[in-house]
Amino acid sequence: MAQTYHDILESASARGDKTFFHGVRAGSTDLIPTSYAQINDRSKAISHGLLARGLKAGDRIAIAAPNCTEWLELYFGAVRVGLVVVTLNVRYRATELTYMLNNSGAKLVVSAVSDADFDFEEFYRSEASNFPTVEAVYFIGAANPEYDFSRLSATGDGQLPEPQPDDPAVILYTSGTTGRPKGATLTHRSLLTAAQAQVEHTGLTNRDVTVSAMPLNHVGGITCAIGTTLISGSEIVLLPAFSPATSIAALARYGGTGFGGVPTMWTLVLNDPAFERLDRARLTRAVIGGSNADPALCARIVQALPNANLVNLYGLSECSGAAIMSATNDDLNTVSESIGIPIPGVEARISGAAGEPGELEIRTASVAAGYWELPEQSAETFGNDGWLRTGDIATIDETGHVRLLGRAKEMYVQGGYNVYPVEVENLLAHHPDVMMVAGIGVPDPVLGEVGRYFVIPADGSAPSAIDLMNYCRERLASYKVPRQIVFVDQLPMTPAGKIQKATLKQMSAED
């Protein structure tokens, strides 16, 4: 397998006019196809343009924009000549952008013109002195042609430099649910190894058509969606942002064979009236990831998509993409109760006493090279023995299936007993009056900590806290039963679609 983006783009160009992806361009809302040959040629033009501006291998450039064709042209153009792309979320604002640009030492930025009511052009004009390493900023669809993304493209006949497999390709900042974000440094080898392993495990072929709204600044987008498509020679419909309506419409228009998303996405798609009118016969792959897949949601997906193979996907930024996925022959109960088995090339183990829950550790060639400019945090997470410490508490059974119990920092101790919120969340999510739920531990003067669970009621339902507590009491050990139920209209989410439990803790601390 090719170990650098230069190599894989060159070999993929032999697919010629076959469509690689459908994406939007500046000034248009239509999805326009780009072939494998076109992305190879266009990325080379960007490579020449970046090098002509004095950038060299190892320099960092940043992009903050929604999913679009320009995003991928810049990404492939930069990494294929050894530049490092700092992938920023378009929702980031002044404090986040300034920290990440300075921490990474980015020399060039490509940005959306605006997002909601935030004017990026004005921001970069007025705040330029706050990020001294940035030498130039270009915008996708700029009002001033001098600063438009198109200016980065150039012609050139000279030989382009080629990166090495272990050279950094991406600095991807963790979502920052606790503390300051850390920039996971992903290499050509780590990114392509993760994508290749997922392709082998799932059997993705050049006949598949995936519909994806996973953000490109996250491994769910750049590896699990785009990387697997590039390696398998398949086709992907890249939505600029997620909405249930656009996802369903894209599945219908392009004959999608696969769709993937975090549990929130699946819940919204299944609840959309248009889903009932969708011809679902072609959908053979359904991937759910980003957090535990509760049994009730898994059952709904299986019932709604009888021809699809439901797969749970566990991955993290620090291992460049997926690491553990459901086996292709796992039944509904196994998919619901575990995150799967290690995919090809991945080893997994549990730290601590044998047979007891412990921290999940992973060893694979897709593990990141560390955190950018953070040696102490890198040593703590990546160690020197090749094993990545995930921070997730899990068990591994005799069949090799991994059961996730939650983040190490999410566990709370109620009356001397360890409680992992995910177990209670999965039970509550099965209640017909509950649409979504998230639990944390909060201080208690008698028991030390107790469980507080934030619940979004199902449409048209009005459950009571007592009813939900009794529901749990009938099915769980007494120390696991929530002591507090809080009804909410929405839950705080990270840009990647995960529930921000740190925000829930902060909200609770302010009560």
Side-chain angles (χ1 to χ4, degrees), residues 29-185:
T29 57
D30 294 333
L31 293 171
I32 302 169
T34 295
S35 71
Y36 280 90
Q38 284 174 323
I39 195 62
N40 188 52
D41 291 341
R42 292 178 189 171
S43 64
K44 281 184 179 179
I46 295 293
S47 298
H48 284 294
L50 294 172
L51 295 175
R53 282 158 178 77
L55 294 166
K56 59 185 184 300
D59 285 343
R60 278 77 64 201
I61 67 171
I63 181 167
N67 292 353
C68 60
T69 297
E70 291 92 341
W71 205 109
L72 288 175
E73 290 174 351
L74 177 76
Y75 176 73
F76 289 129
V79 297
R80 70 180 300 153
V81 291
L83 298 174
V84 185
V85 178
V86 183
T87 59
L88 305 176
N89 195 289
V90 73
R91 296 183 188 176
Y92 291 158
R93 295 300 181 254
T95 300
E96 298 155 311
L97 291 170
T98 302
Y99 170 74
M100 294 174 189
L101 291 174
N102 288 334
N103 178 253
S104 63
K107 287 190 173 183
L108 182 142
V109 176
V110 171
S111 174
V113 170
S114 62
D115 176 66
D117 59 351
F118 191 81
D119 187 333
F120 284 107
E121 289 183 297
E122 174 58 28
F123 167 73
Y124 283 108
R125 275 195 300 268
S126 61
E127 302 292 326
S129 61
N130 290 332
F131 20 84
T133 64
V134 175
E135 299 170 355
V137 182
Y138 292 86
F139 299 93
I140 298 172
N144 186 340
E146 184 179 352
Y147 302 107
D148 189 71
F149 171 80
S150 60
R151 294 294 297 273
L152 289 177
S153 184
T155 57
D157 298 324
Q159 181 71 28
L160 291 170
E162 299 179 20
Q164 297 300 309
D166 292 320
D167 288 345
V170 167
I171 297 175
L172 191 160
Y173 283 89
T174 58
S175 56
T177 52
T178 58
R180 273 194 160 181
K182 301 183 290 290
T185 306

Side-chain angles (χ1 to χ4, degrees), residues 405 407-408 410-424 441 449-451 453 476-482:
L405 300 177
R407 298 290 294 171
E410 288 178 6
M411 184 198 78
Y412 59 90
V413 182
Q414 181 166 302
Y417 293 95
N418 293 346
V419 181
Y420 298 98
V422 65
E423 182 179 5
V424 185
E449 290 180 293
V450 296
Y453 289 79
L476 293 173
S478 60
Y479 68 87
K480 298 178 184 178
V481 174

Side-chain angles (χ1 to χ4, degrees), residues 133-365:
T133 64
V134 175
E135 299 170 355
V137 182
Y138 292 86
F139 299 93
I140 298 172
N144 186 340
E146 184 179 352
Y147 302 107
D148 189 71
F149 171 80
S150 60
R151 294 294 297 273
L152 289 177
S153 184
T155 57
D157 298 324
Q159 181 71 28
L160 291 170
E162 299 179 20
Q164 297 300 309
D166 292 320
D167 288 345
V170 167
I171 297 175
L172 191 160
Y173 283 89
T174 58
S175 56
T177 52
T178 58
R180 273 194 160 181
K182 301 183 290 290
T185 306
L186 313 182
T187 67
H188 289 254
R189 188 193 307 275
S190 72
L191 287 157
L192 295 175
T193 297
Q196 176 67 36
Q198 185 176 335
V199 169
E200 291 181 16
H201 185 80
T202 60
L204 190 69
T205 75
N206 60 8
R207 297 182 298 277
D208 280 302
V209 178
T210 300
V211 172
S212 176
M214 299 302 292
L216 292 174
N217 69 289
H218 187 269
V219 293
I222 200 61
T223 305
C224 300
I226 294 297
T228 57
T229 302
L230 180 62
I231 285 173
S232 65
S234 56
E235 182 178 329
I236 188 165
V237 182
L238 184 64
L239 302 178
F242 171 76
S243 82
T246 55
S247 299
I248 294 166
L251 287 167
R253 177 179 176 184
Y254 296 96
T257 62
F259 179 77
V262 297
T264 308
M265 293 179 177
W266 275 108
T267 299
L268 293 172
V269 166
L270 293 174
N271 288 346
D272 194 290
F275 187 75
E276 289 301 319
R277 300 189 296 272
L278 175 68
D279 180 1
R280 289 162 257 165
R282 281 179 56 84
L283 267 167
T284 57
R285 292 180 298 107
V287 179
I288 187 167
S291 64
N292 281 274
D294 70 77
L297 179 56
C298 289
R300 287 188 66 194
I301 296 172
V302 169
Q303 183 178 15
L305 303 174
N307 295 336
N309 180 37
L310 177 62
V311 174
N312 202 342
L313 182 153
Y314 170 87
L316 57 164
S317 301
E318 288 83 352
C319 67
S320 307
I324 296 170
M325 298 182 71
S326 304
T328 54
N329 60 349
D330 280 348
D331 59 20
L332 175 59
N333 286 338
T334 305
V335 174
S336 301
E337 295 172 0
S338 76
I339 54 173
I341 60 175
I343 63 178
V346 176
E347 299 174 81
R349 71 181 186 186
I350 303 298
S351 65
E356 295 295 321
E359 184 174 10
L360 175 64
E361 298 182 350
I362 290 170
R363 184 164 64 181
T364 168

